[in-house]
Amino acid sequence: MKIKKAVIPVAGLGTRFLPATKTVPKELLPILDIPAIQYVVQEAVEAGIQEVIFVTGRGKDSIEDHFDAVPELEQILEERGQTEVVKALRQIADMIEVVSVRQKRPLGLGHAVLCARDLVGEESFAVLLADDLIDSDIPCVRQLLDVYEEKKESVLALMRVPAGEVRRYGVIKGQSLSDRLYEVEDMVEKPKPEQAPSQMAIIGRYILRPEIFPILETTQSGTGGEIQLTDGLLQLARKRKVYGYEFAGERYDVGDKFGFVRATIAYALKRPELNGQVMDYLKSIVENRSG
Ligand code: UTP
């Protein structure tokens, strides 16, 4: 059966971006003129996903509103002759079917995924984290879906990270099966470099079988007092095969300040109307610093 649904948890507190996230959900912070969440939903759409399930929390309603129609604004823009803008706004509203469920307390990513259980049902599904923007020729989730369609088992997106950075990720121990494909044997959440089983980090794209739900239901809170998805995945890997796929593409962690700056520069350089100006500006900074 084809995977139709994607869960996007957006109920986190976004503490690393306070005070901006005091009233604005971090998922709506824009990279240029597009909120981070829109890039992520776009990736799901391009991968063939038909329904997005947002796991939301308090103060996050504007994320759903972003994917809704805005007839009053469209009318004003129409009257002003700004038809291209109207078209762009309609495209966002028509992008995909959106439903949502509340996570009443931010008890962790594993708990957030569990909140989507009734809306997902007994199907495999994708999970995308809005902190991770991935620029790639083939949407990252599509790359994982291709593995799922062959193996019919859960698949995690992997990225090789420098040894000094493993402590920021869930890291796998795995057996390499082919060029980019691994069979996951073990996982450690945020290990010290000397305790990391590899440099292959799990990043925010997953294809999960529904067997993850009963596991998450009994998963105890772990690191940071939160129910960690990684702990659930580890138990899943003990029951069934779990694969890891080193996706092709560039990933930006926009939940982190430097990652946010990197993404803003990289996405600006991809825009023909901004490329020249941004490049000149970057060069002038480097010249002034070294001069
Ligand atoms: P993070 O821990 O990176 O996000 O969770 P955060 O808690 O929002 O941000 P900081 O660290 O305080 O700045 C990864 C993803 O999981 C979601 C977040 O919204 C984010 O997309 N999440 C996390 C939930 O939906 N619920 C939770 O309880 C925790």
Side-chain angles (χ1 to χ4, degrees), residues 78-89:
E78 290 271 21
E79 283 162 15
R80 290 185 187 164
Q82 291 178 277
T83 47
E84 282 306 307
V85 187
V86 174
K87 212 170 114 194
L89 290 180

Side-chain angles (χ1 to χ4, degrees), residues 142-190:
R142 183 68 254 163
Q143 298 178 42
L144 303 188
L145 285 170
D146 289 345
V147 177
Y148 172 82
E149 281 165 18
E150 194 198 317
K151 305 284 188 190
K152 306 282 185 281
E153 296 291 350
S154 303
V155 191
L156 322 176
L158 299 179
M159 184 176 90
R160 188 175 293 280
V161 297
E165 289 181 20
V166 286
R167 61 161 58 89
R168 296 172 50 198
Y169 298 90
V171 174
I172 68 144
K173 174 171 176 241
Q175 198 188 331
S176 169
L177 299 179
S178 60
D179 190 17
R180 294 178 176 274
L181 190 63
Y182 293 79
E183 190 177 321
V184 177
E185 292 165 348
D186 199 2
M187 280 167 247
V188 189
E189 185 66 24
K190 302 188 170 63

Side-chain angles (χ1 to χ4, degrees), residues 8-18 21 26-27 55-57 60 103 105-113 128-132 190 226-227 253 255-256:
I8 307 187
V10 294
L13 298 176
T15 53
R16 284 171 291 170
F17 269 85
L18 283 168
T21 49
K26 80 167 169 185
E27 297 78 8
V55 181
T56 69
K60 299 273 183 162
Q103 183 189 25
R105 277 181 291 274
L107 297 177
L109 178 57
H111 180 259
V113 170
L128 293 87
L129 302 190
D131 274 353
D132 284 329
K190 302 188 170 63
E226 295 190 332
I227 297 174
D253 177 5
D256 166 79

